[in-house]
Each structure stands twice: as structure tokens, then as C-alpha cells.
Amino acid sequence: MRLTQKPMTALLVLLSATVLTVHAQAQKPLPKLGKSSLKEVVNAMTVEEKAKLVVGMGFKMPGMPPPVKGEKPKPINIGGFTLPPSDPEAYDVPEKVVGTAGRTHAILRLGIPSITVSDGPAGLRIDPTRPNDKRTYYATAFPVATLLASSWDTALVKKVGVAFGNEIREYGVDVILGPALNIHRNPLGGRNFEYYSEDPLVAGSMTAAIVNGIQSQGVGTSIKHFAANNQETNRNSVNTIVSERAMREIYLKGFEIAVKASQPWTVMSSYNRVNGTYTSERRDLQTDILKREWGFKGFVMTDWFGGHDAVAQMNAGNDLLMPGNPDQSDAIVAAVKDGTLTLAQLDANVTRMLKIILKSPTFKGYKYSDKPDLKGHAAVSRTAAAQGMILLKNDGATLPLAKGKKIAVFGNTSYALIAGGTGSGDVHKAYTAMLPQGLANAGIKVQPELAKSYADYLVEAKAKQPKSTNFFMAPPPIPEMDVTGLVEKEADGADAAIITIGRNAGEGADRKVENDFTLTDAEKALINSVSNAFHAKGKKVVVVLNIGGVIEVASWRDSVDGILLAWQPGLEGGNAIADVLSGKVNPSGKLASTFPVAYQDVPSAKNFPGKEFPRPAGQQPNPMVGAPSEVVYQEGVYVGYRYYDSFKIKPAYEFGYGLSYTKFKLSDVKVSTPEFKGSVSISVTVKNTGKAAGKEVVQLYLTAPNQTLDKPAQELKAFAKTGLLAPGQSQVVTLTLHAGDLASFYTDKSAWVADAGEYKVQIGTSSREIAKSVSFKLAKEIVTEKTHKSLTPQVAIEEVINK
Ligand code: BGC
């Protein structure tokens, strides 16, 4: 074949054009994150790169062997836990910060760095020491969430967030896996200490406050666990059967408040199913409600190993799968190829992640110091701890204790104070200040012989304690020391006694009624013998509760003179407790969850933790999955005080309750308008009528008209804490309600509706200590928000009703 001149020229032209294009392409720089538009970056990513970005880099489970080089990683079994294969990169790529919970993949050719996420709600959880490094990397253990909520002080909680956020940034982490705000549905919930309250307004307000504090430092949060994750029994798979209304009014409300008021960088979906489907696989939850209805701008990540179908999770809008394994990325690539996952959906998930990565300190190249101000943060932790402690009982002005008094300190946890709960919410702190040390610092004398007996007993008992077999669990508690023979002597020599009762719990298991919600025989015996001996000498006895969740108090509280609920107060716990016991700080905490008289009184007692079904034949038990199980939220919206108040059940200590060393009087309650027009304000004068400076919490409970819908007797709709009022000083507190605050969720209309009629406003200092009731009218019903039909139960739920 002979080429003519013309075609030859054409070929040359074509060839040179091709060379030019290739050359031009080679010349054209690749898009780079931060320099190019997000669209350009996403368009430049291959499907494989996208599938890598939306799946984390894996997790080095303590004790887990690395995958064998060159072999496809296999699932791993450690102590009965079968875990999916880990990504070899988790072992090969050095961690930016040692001991964090997870990382995302970097795509360096496009300028996308790997970001680091770490637990947990009460402080940054990273390894305190590193191989071949003499320095330490301890973190501040802040008080647990339940204590922070008990302060009812959002400004204080924001300050904790600022210190916390600074520590996260200075240790090089991008996103903290917290705060956690699941509702205290039942006192036995193993992770209740990590959560705020039985009430969604308190939970949501506290979450927004701490998120705003943390994120003011240029690092992100992950509010968790979204949603209806209220138990640890079979936590990875339990099917939560719950009505749409209870979801909206109780279990989603706190998240809604927090998203709208603080735009957390990320949200963590929960392990459980809701009405049959894993939360991470529910598009109605992750996309329709969270992103569309509430306007959430960040990305959603799964809880660790949560859900089971990577493609369904992507389709739901669960943007990132954590900790991630290569099989998930492979499944995503395959799904794009076979059309079960659209590129548009994958791109949307990738884009959400990139928007957050852009804000991260790692992307910005922040030079972290590894030297946060631990001293300053410990001071913040101590202040917050004292502000969230609750004085439950103080007969005959037993407290505060005067300086120089000699105190006999009983109870193991006085000497082995529990700073916070176990599992991922535990913090590697440098120390915990014990109670005797705190008392001594406050000028109160601790009886030395008794202290020595406890020290010896604890050393011996700890040596005998069985080693924990499970990554999450604390070893079993040490039984209380038998004080026979010691107590009489102490009652002679000391001026008063303190007994600390401690409880610990955490991720992976719920608490029990016997010997956990209730006191053990040894604890009852301790309280009895100390009280008998001290009371016989006319001396007082105070119990300090160092607990992470609600316990039974009604059967023993009459034996003692004072009770301080100190919760799990963080690393400065002993000092903070002493601040309150000595009167340096006047207690102003209030219960954010009810203390019932008996466990049977709890509205979910019959439905917690649900029921288990037989395992399919041949299926091996795996704690990572749990037994087939379901839990029915039969109590509907009647959670906590909503139930006790509506069904007239007297609690031991009601929601909102807490004493002070001074007294307050509420007066002059005024409502801004007799008829609701867009908003209504209620003002009240709070006067300190006692002898010590102190703070009071004003609480507003609303009773809505209920002709068409069964509604709780009253619901908390606003609250505010006063400043520190000197004796005789007053402050006017004004609380404002908007239309949304009057509304209930009507399932048949998929809408929030404020019914026409009379609204009764109760202003008080607890849910049952009401100073004054006022009312206003709503002339015409208002549909405050129209939503979408979602989360519909597949079975009928026989919910309790109050009519
Ligand atoms: C917990 C999460 C935690 C994650 C990472 C999970 O087991 O449920 O709360 O953030 O682990 O450690």
C-alpha cells in the first residue's frame, strides 16, 4: 500500500495533534484539594479512589495480628470477637497520633490528606506513651456527660468544650468521636454516663454547647450514636421497635437541636436497627431527616464495624464506613459498575467528606505542639465537676464541713475514685485526685489509721482481682471492706463520717438490677454500721455517690444525714468533691435524670433490654453481632419524668431536683402576652434569701392542650441558670417560647402541630417544685413543621397511653 502525499500530511497532522494533546495533558496540573473546586477534585478521582476515601483505613485492635503480606486479609477472631479483615495500610502507614480510633485514606496525588479521628466524649483517648519516646501524652479526663448536664449551665459546658477542643488540636487530632447524646431510657444503660439526660432538650442543649466550644478551636466533633441506641445488650444488631412519634419527640429531638444550633462536623450513626433496618442503612434517617429536614452540612460515619451492607450504607447517605476494610471498598466499586450505587450518590458522599477535610487542622498543616495546657485544662475540669454535683440530702445542715474537722473516710472508691466509665469513653489520664487528698487540700483532716487500712485492703484485693478478659470491661468491683472493729474507734475519734459508694460501667454491657442498681449487702452493712456507730455519738454521716448512672436510694437514704451525688467527676474528682463538701463551692447541680423509688417504677422496666430469639442453625455466637433480638419501646414518649408525672408515680428524687447551701425565692412571674403571637416570654425574679452565695436553675415546664393527642402532663421547654447571687441579691430570668416549643408530633399528618387552646406554664426549681403557674392561649392551631413519612414501624406497637 502506497500513501499519497495528502493522506501522509493528514497523518502527520493527526500525529502531531495527538502528541500536542498528550503533552498538553501532561502539562495540565492535576486538581488539588483547596486549590481547585471540589467538583474538579471529585471529577479527577477514579472510582477506586472514591471507594477508598469513603472507607476508613482500618483499625489495629489491641492484640490483633497484622494481615499477612501479599495475602488477602482474612476475618480475625480475638477472644470470641470475629472482626472483619483489617486494611494492611492500618499497619503499614505510620499513625499521625498513636492510639487513635481511626483514620481516613489519603489520596496524595489530589492533595487529600488522611484525617485522624479519636474517642471519646469525656476527654481525648490516645495512647499515653509511645515506643522509643520518653515523653508522655496524657489527656485530661473531664467530668462525664451526665455530670456536665447536671450543671444545667450551657455556658460552662461550652467552656469545657473550648479546653477540650484545644487539647484535641494540640495533640494533632482532627475529629473527636463525641459528644454522645442518647437518651437515658433506662437506668441500667451501660453507657448512660457518656450520655446527658432523660430529656431531649437538656441533651440537645448540652451537646450544642460542647460542640460549639470544641469546634471553636478548629477541630471537629462527631455527635453519636444516631439514633435510638439506648442499650448495650446486643448493641450491634438489636432491632429497636419504636413509634415515629417517640422517635421524633424523644430520640431524635436532641440531635435535631444540636445539629441546628452547632453544625457538628460529623454525625456517627448507631449500631442498632430501627424498625427492622440498621440505622446506617436508613436513607430516611441519614439523608431525608438529618441532611434535608435539619440541614446538616457535615458527613455521617458509621460506628465501628456498624451495619452490614456497605452499598446500602452508601445509598443511605452514610458517607464514611469506619473503621473500614478493603472488602467494603471492593463492594462499592462493584456496585458502581453494576449500577446498584450511582456515581452521583458516591460523589455526594465524597464531596461531604472533602468539605470537612478542607477544614481540618491536618489539611491546614497545623503545627500542633503535643503540649496542651494540661494544668489549665485540669482546672477547667475541676470547676465543671463541682458545678455539676448535686446535693440530694442535707439534714440539719450537715454540710458544708468546717475546716479542721476530723473525718473518717469509708468506702473503697473514696480511695480509688472512679473518674469516668469504661470502654471507648475512658481517657488515659495522668492521675485521678482521690477524695482524702482533696479533703486534705481543703483543710479537712482525714483519719489516718482508717485511710491506711483501706490502702492495705485495696492493694491486697487488687492483686487478687481476676484480669479483665475483654477489651471493654473493667474488672469486677472490689467488695467493700468489712469495717467491724474499726468503726467504733472512728466514731469516737472523728467528727463525722463520709462513705463513698462507687459504680462503674461502660460500652459492651448493661448494668444489672441486683448489686448494681441496688446496693450490695456489703454496702448496706457498711452504711448501717457506720451510721449506727456515728449516730450513737451524735455525729453525722454523709454519703458521696461516685456513680455513672442512677441507683436505688430510697431504702437507705433515711440512715444518713447528707448525700452528695458526685457522679464520675474526671481527673480532679477528689478536689472537686472536697470543693463542694467544704462549701468552697455551693452546690447548684440538678438532676437531669430521675431517681425512681424502685426499678419496677421505671417506664421501660418491662421492656429492657428486650428479648432474644434462637440463633439460626449452625450460626456461631459472635459478640460483635449479638444474638437475634428486639426491644419494643412500649412506653412511647413517656420516658423519665414525662412518665412519672403523667402517671403520678412518686420518684425518690425528681427530675430537676437539687439542694443548695442557701435558699432561693421565685417571685413576680410574668407572661408577656395572654395570647400567643409568634413567641411568648415568661420572666421571674430569683432572690437568694439564704446566707451563702449560690446559683439557682429556673425550669419552665409546659402543659399543652390535649384534646386531640395524648400528651405528657408536662414537658421541660426552657431553662436557665442564674449567676452567682450573693445573699439578698436578685436576678430576673426571662425564658422565651417559640411556636415549635408548643408543638407535638402528629404521626398521621407527619407534622409538628401546636394545638389551639390554653397552655399552662409552670415555673419552678424542679419538675415538682413549682413556684408559680401562668397561662397563655393559642387562638388557632399552627402546623409548625411538615416532615416526611419515615421510620415507620413494621409491626403494631401497643404504646402506653395516659387517658
Ligand atoms: C463505640 C463508639 C466509638 C467507636 C470508636 C465503638 O465501639 O460504640 O462510641 O466512638 O467504637 O472507638
Side-chain angles (χ1 to χ4, degrees):
M1 193 169 61
R2 195 177 159 262
L3 288 172
T4 62
Q5 186 63 26
K6 227 174 157 193
M8 193 61 175
T9 319
L11 186 66
L12 279 177
V13 170
L14 188 72
L15 273 176
S16 56
T18 313
V19 169
L20 270 178
T21 325
V22 170
H23 189 69
Q25 264 174 7
Q27 285 293 32
K28 193 173 168 216
L30 278 171
K32 287 270 186 252
L33 187 65
K35 299 213 169 70
S36 323
S37 71
L38 282 179
K39 205 160 180 219
E40 285 170 311
V41 176
V42 175
N43 287 344
M45 291 171 83
T46 64
V47 172
E48 286 72 16
E49 284 172 331
K50 291 173 186 174
K52 248 185 144 176
L53 186 72
V54 295
V55 173
M57 207 197 271
F59 184 56
K60 284 203 260 181
M61 186 84 166
M64 182 151 94
V68 181
K69 287 253 181 276
E71 277 182 22
K72 190 171 161 49
K74 296 191 197 76
I76 295 153
N77 192 298
I78 308 171
F81 284 74
T82 307
L83 294 168
S86 200
D87 190 327
E89 282 192 34
Y91 292 85
D92 295 346
V93 180
E95 284 175 290
K96 181 181 172 201
V97 181
V98 181
T100 59
R103 298 177 277 169
T104 61
H105 283 284
I107 300 170
L108 295 176
R109 74 180 187 100
L110 301 172
I112 305 171
S114 158
I115 61 166
T116 299
V117 303
S118 200
D119 285 303
L124 180 66
R125 182 174 164 85
I126 55 173
D127 285 357
T129 53
R130 296 178 184 174
N132 310 319
D133 183 348
K134 287 208 179 68
R135 286 187 304 173
T136 56
Y137 300 83
Y138 287 106
T140 307
F142 293 100
V144 298
T146 308
L147 182 151
L148 292 179
S150 308
S151 73
W152 293 61
D153 186 343
T154 49
L156 173 95
V157 173
K158 186 171 176 196
K159 274 189 204 142
V160 172
V162 171
F164 192 176
N166 176 273
E167 199 160 312
I168 297 163
R169 191 182 71 197
E170 291 310 320
Y171 272 137
V173 170
D174 297 293
V175 174
I176 189 82
L177 301 175
L181 68 146
N182 297 99
I183 291 293
H184 291 166
R185 173 176 178 252
N186 184 290
L188 303 185
R191 295 183 84 171
N192 280 3
F193 72 98
E194 293 187 67
Y195 306 147
Y196 293 105
S197 171
E198 69 189 19
D199 178 79
L201 176 67
V202 175
S205 310
M206 294 300 152
T207 303
I210 203 160
V211 167
N212 280 326
I214 295 173
Q215 294 192 169
S216 72
Q217 300 301 297
V219 292
T221 54
S222 191
I223 65 170
K224 66 188 186 184
H225 310 85
F226 189 59
N229 181 180
N230 308 97
Q231 66 183 58
E232 291 302 289
T233 309
N234 295 313
R235 67 170 180 156
N236 298 70
S237 61
V238 64
N239 183 21
T240 302
I241 298 177
V242 51
S243 70
E244 287 171 58
R245 179 175 173 211
M247 276 305 277
R248 293 280 186 168
E249 290 191 12
I250 306 291
Y251 299 102
L252 296 183
K253 193 71 194 170
F255 285 93
E256 179 181 357
I257 294 169
V259 165
K260 290 180 175 167
S262 64
Q263 279 295 344
W265 287 13
T266 80
V267 167
M268 187 189 291
S269 53
S270 57
Y271 282 132
N272 54 291
R273 299 173 220 222
V274 168
N275 296 327
T277 307
Y278 285 104
T279 59
S280 57
E281 297 173 10
R282 287 206 80 114
R283 190 171 168 85
D284 54 1
L285 187 61
Q286 309 302 346
T287 295
D288 299 340
I289 295 179
L290 176 65
K291 294 174 178 173
R292 299 210 171 126
E293 285 183 17
W294 302 347
F296 171 62
K297 296 195 176 69
F299 69 78
V300 180
M301 70 175 92
T302 59
D303 197 349
W304 268 228
F305 309 104
H308 74 162
D309 180 343
V311 176
Q313 290 171 316
M314 285 290 115
N315 274 321
N318 191 119
D319 309 281
L320 170 66
L321 311 184
M322 289 302 275
N325 72 75
D327 288 353
Q328 292 171 314
S329 299
D330 292 348
I332 291 167
V333 172
V336 171
K337 286 196 181 130
D338 71 20
T340 46
L341 174 64
T342 63
L343 207 49
Q345 179 64 51
L346 183 59
D347 285 356
N349 299 359
V350 165
T351 306
R352 278 183 177 267
M353 285 189 62
L354 292 179
K355 279 188 185 160
I356 296 300
I357 293 172
L358 264 172
K359 300 205 255 186
S360 68
T362 300
F363 177 79
K364 292 182 175 165
Y366 180 71
K367 301 263 177 297
Y368 54 100
S369 63
D370 268 334
K371 287 197 195 89
D373 176 12
L374 292 177
K375 254 190 152 169
H377 298 171
V380 173
S381 181
R382 175 173 174 172
T383 306
Q387 293 295 325
M389 291 182 188
I390 304 169
L391 186 62
L392 294 178
K393 175 169 182 172
N394 194 20
D395 283 2
T398 299
L399 295 171
L401 302 169
K403 262 202 176 129
K405 288 278 180 219
K406 288 183 282 176
I407 307 295
V409 179
F410 293 91
N412 294 342
T413 45
S414 293
Y415 301 87
L417 196 84
I418 301 163
T422 61
S424 61
D426 191 9
V427 183
H428 300 300
K429 55 218 163 276
Y431 65 90
T432 300
M434 299 301 163
L435 182 55
Q437 182 191 336
L439 291 170
N441 292 344
I444 293 166
K445 293 190 180 129
V446 174
Q447 292 290 87
E449 268 181 50
L450 183 61
K452 169 89 174 58
S453 305
Y454 268 103
D456 294 346
Y457 171 74
L458 287 172
V459 168
E460 212 176 293
K462 267 188 200 147
K464 284 194 217 140
Q465 244 182 339
K467 289 270 161 296
S468 171
T469 51
N470 180 325
F471 162 69
F472 297 117
M473 300 295 194
I478 294 171
E480 282 301 337
M481 181 173 90
D482 180 1
V483 292
T484 324
L486 291 168
V487 72
E488 300 295 335
K489 204 170 148 213
E490 293 300 337
D492 274 336
D495 296 312
I498 292 176
I499 308 168
T500 305
I501 299 292
R503 287 288 178 277
N504 209 354
E507 194 173 346
D510 290 310
R511 295 169 55 210
K512 303 261 174 311
V513 176
E514 289 296 306
N515 300 329
D516 191 344
F517 180 74
T518 58
L519 297 195
T520 64
D521 288 344
E523 287 167 336
K524 288 180 205 158
L526 177 67
I527 292 178
N528 276 336
S529 60
V530 173
S531 299
N532 289 341
F534 277 72
H535 288 162
K537 305 265 151 118
K539 295 175 181 176
K540 303 281 173 90
V541 178
V542 173
V543 166
V544 171
L545 296 177
N546 175 206
I547 58 183
V550 168
I551 64 164
E552 189 275 325
V553 291
S555 69
W556 56 266
R557 64 179 164 183
D558 291 346
S559 314
V560 301
D561 309 285
I563 306 175
L564 178 67
L565 174 51
W567 295 119
Q568 292 170 340
L571 85 178
E572 280 290 325
N575 285 319
I577 296 172
D579 286 342
V580 176
L581 293 177
S582 67
K584 182 177 163 200
V585 173
N586 187 351
S588 60
K590 303 274 178 173
L591 287 178
S593 286
T594 308
F595 271 57
V597 169
Y599 180 72
Q600 291 69 32
D601 293 347
V602 173
S604 56
K606 284 196 221 82
N607 288 295
F608 184 93
K611 55 179 180 211
E612 291 188 357
F613 305 109
R615 208 177 290 285
Q619 195 186 81
Q620 290 308 309
N622 179 2
M624 280 305 288
V625 179
S629 59
E630 70 178 30
V631 54
V632 185
Y633 286 15
Q634 235 178 333
E635 69 284 1
V637 298
Y638 292 102
V639 177
Y641 69 90
R642 285 170 167 77
Y643 172 77
Y644 300 110
D645 295 348
S646 307
F647 291 81
K648 303 200 169 46
I649 292 166
K650 198 173 176 336
Y653 294 115
E654 76 269 16
F655 179 80
Y657 171 87
L659 302 173
S660 165
Y661 296 150
T662 188
K663 289 207 155 26
F664 295 94
K665 190 167 184 294
L666 271 56
S667 63
D668 235 0
V669 179
K670 285 188 198 126
V671 57
S672 62
T673 165
E675 192 147 313
F676 185 86
K677 289 188 201 79
S679 73
V680 58
S681 292
I682 293 93
S683 62
V684 53
T685 304
V686 184
K687 183 171 184 190
N688 182 346
T689 55
K691 294 197 176 75
K695 299 176 188 172
E696 181 56 290
V697 178
V698 177
Q699 303 164 33
L700 185 159
Y701 295 89
L702 190 70
T703 304
N706 63 351
Q707 291 86 341
T708 46
L709 188 70
D710 181 45
K711 295 180 190 173
Q714 59 172 7
E715 293 180 282
L716 182 79
K717 291 294 175 183
F719 61 89
K721 195 162 188 171
T722 66
L724 187 71
L725 300 178
Q729 198 181 347
S730 305
Q731 183 180 333
V732 176
V733 171
T734 304
L735 300 167
T736 301
L737 300 177
H738 300 280
D741 300 320
L742 316 187
S744 300
F745 189 78
Y746 276 75
T747 310
D748 51 344
K749 300 178 187 154
S750 293
W752 290 90
V753 180
D755 286 319
E758 180 166 67
Y759 287 77
K760 196 163 125 200
V761 177
Q762 326 218 58
I763 297 285
T765 52
S766 91
S767 54
R768 289 178 176 225
E769 200 59 51
I770 301 300
K772 180 103 200 252
S773 295
V774 288
S775 62
F776 62 85
K777 283 204 174 69
L778 178 65
K780 225 176 129 230
E781 156 192 308
I782 310 173
V783 176
T784 60
E785 199 190 337
K786 185 93 187 102
T787 68
H788 304 88
K789 188 94 195 137
S790 17
L791 306 166
T792 312
Q794 297 160 311
V795 290
I797 307 170
E798 259 184 58
E799 279 189 340
V800 297
I801 47 164
N802 182 29
K803 266 189 178 165

